[in-house]
Amino acid sequence: MREIRPEALRQLRQARKVTVLTGAGMSAESGVPTFRDAQKGLWANYRPEDLATPAAFLARPGFVWRWYESRRRQLQKLQPNAGHQALAAWQLKIPKMTLITQNVDDLHERAGSTGVIHVHGTLNPVKCFDCGASYQLPPCSDEAENAAPDQEAEVPRCNRCKGLLRPGVVWFGEALPAAALHKAEQAATDCDLMLVVGTSGQVYPIASLPGMARSAQVPVWIINPNASVLDDQASVLVRGTAAQVLPALFDRVS
Ligand code: BV8
Ligand code: ZN
């Protein structure tokens, strides 16, 4: 924290409207693999970009469904980390915090954050591939975890039209929910400061948000233990992890 200039810390302390953009790195310290982490087990030979597409689902619905269920099951065993908690506490201390997440997990909500904008959807509820009807899934059972590696999951069908259900996420090549994207773009330019935590900034259109903020003269703080393509858009660059840096910053503004 010592590398942050005093006037930058003052700017953070005085910020009344803060917009936060989080990516997979936000959940890394909770034990959720990031998109760029190599996949393990059944999915070791697949890149997420190859599974998170409508074509992949249509080609092998049971296999893709099983991937999402394995992520949902794993998430049930994990907890929000100190970074999620710091953001939730910060939101209570200032007039307005808008939290935009690319993550499909519910860790921000479980830490207490409210009004979270999931620009890439969520693992639950799921929806019908054909008519779009939404369905809240019950918690994952463990027995599916021990199914044979090559066994394709039985994909549930829509009660209304009998179409296949699909994960409630935005796949590559799919449009983002218009309302969520509009709210995110608004929040990027209409705020005193933007925190960008744990994203490699490679997925569009969300990767454009920090640049939009800078064009609106909003200071952009990048928090990431590693370099990323977003670094040259940073007003302040903090080399560190979400669970270390966010509590430390929150302490400095409290
Ligand atoms: C769209 C849900 C147009 C699914 C996700 C060809 C055809 C079509 C579109 C495209 C195309 N080529 C390019 C595109 C655009 C495409 C895109 O950007 N592709 C990229 C790969 C180039 N975008 C899209 O397709 C989007 N849609 O463009 O639609 C359109 C318009 C109208 C009508 C029709 C179509 C949709 C994109 C959404 C895809 N869905 N997720 C699922 O989860 O399964 S994206 C998914 O990947 C995540 O949600 C996330 O957004 C992204 C991964 O990014 P990060 O979160 O940044 O994670 P990553 O692992 O990359 O980085 C982690 C970072 O954390 C690292 O920097 C690391 O250093 C840091 N870190 C690690 N540990 C920590 C840490 N930081 C802090 N603390 C730590 N402890
Ligand atoms: Zn249906």
Side-chain angles (χ1 to χ4, degrees):
M1 238 29 61
R2 65 189 165 290
E3 79 270 19
I4 301 177
R5 302 183 309 278
E7 67 274 15
L9 275 175
R10 198 173 27 260
Q11 180 185 77
L12 192 71
R13 205 172 287 122
Q14 288 164 0
R16 311 316 308 145
K17 271 202 288 193
V18 173
T19 293
V20 186
L21 170 64
T22 64
M26 181 75 228
S27 300
E29 283 150 297
S30 294
V32 183
T34 69
F35 255 69
R36 271 147 196 88
D37 285 342
Q39 297 232 80
K40 296 188 178 61
L42 264 185
W43 328 104
N45 308 328
Y46 296 87
R47 291 184 326 146
E49 293 87 320
D50 302 330
L51 291 174
T53 71
F57 179 77
L58 288 174
R60 298 181 69 186
F63 188 71
V64 173
W65 180 268
R66 191 167 170 188
W67 179 50
Y68 280 91
E69 283 300 276
S70 72
R71 289 167 63 185
R72 197 163 72 89
R73 185 179 306 107
Q74 183 197 26
L75 207 56
Q76 281 172 185
K77 300 170 186 154
L78 303 177
Q79 298 301 326
N81 61 54
H84 293 107
Q85 270 133 16
L87 289 177
W90 202 327
Q91 185 174 37
L92 298 174
K93 296 276 289 185
I94 57 174
K96 188 167 173 52
M97 174 180 279
T98 304
L99 180 47
I100 304 160
T101 189
Q102 300 174 88
N103 299 338
V104 295
D105 64 51
D106 59 354
L107 294 173
H108 282 304
E109 288 86 349
R110 285 166 54 192
S113 289
T114 56
V116 180
I117 304 173
H118 282 274
V119 287
H120 291 158
T122 55
L123 287 174
N124 202 4
V126 296
K127 60 186 181 184
C128 172
F129 196 93
D130 295 334
C131 75
S134 178
Y135 294 85
Q136 191 70 30
L137 291 178
C140 286
S141 63
D142 274 345
E143 94 264 354
E145 192 156 8
N146 314 321
D150 57 350
Q151 189 180 331
E152 308 251 329
E154 184 62 36
V155 182
R157 288 191 173 267
C158 175
N159 298 331
R160 279 187 2 195
C161 75
K162 299 294 169 244
L164 285 174
L165 298 191
R166 52 154 288 175
V169 301
V170 179
W171 276 327
F172 288 99
E174 292 189 316
L176 274 61
L181 181 56
H182 178 69
K183 270 169 71 179
E185 290 173 340
Q186 285 273 68
T189 52
D190 175 21
C191 62
D192 301 326
L193 186 137
M194 174 184 257
L195 294 179
V196 180
V197 188
T199 182
S200 61
Q202 296 181 38
V203 176
Y204 285 85
I206 293 305
S208 324
L209 292 184
M212 291 172 72
R214 286 306 307 268
S215 316
Q217 278 70 51
V218 169
V220 170
W221 291 45
I222 304 270
I223 300 166
N224 194 325
N226 309 307
S228 84
V229 293
L230 297 174
D231 288 355
D232 56 7
Q233 293 170 36
S235 320
V236 175
L237 191 50
V238 187
R239 278 278 171 264
T241 72
Q244 289 163 353
V245 171
L246 289 170
L249 288 182
F250 178 55
D251 285 348
R252 306 294 290 265
V253 301
S254 301

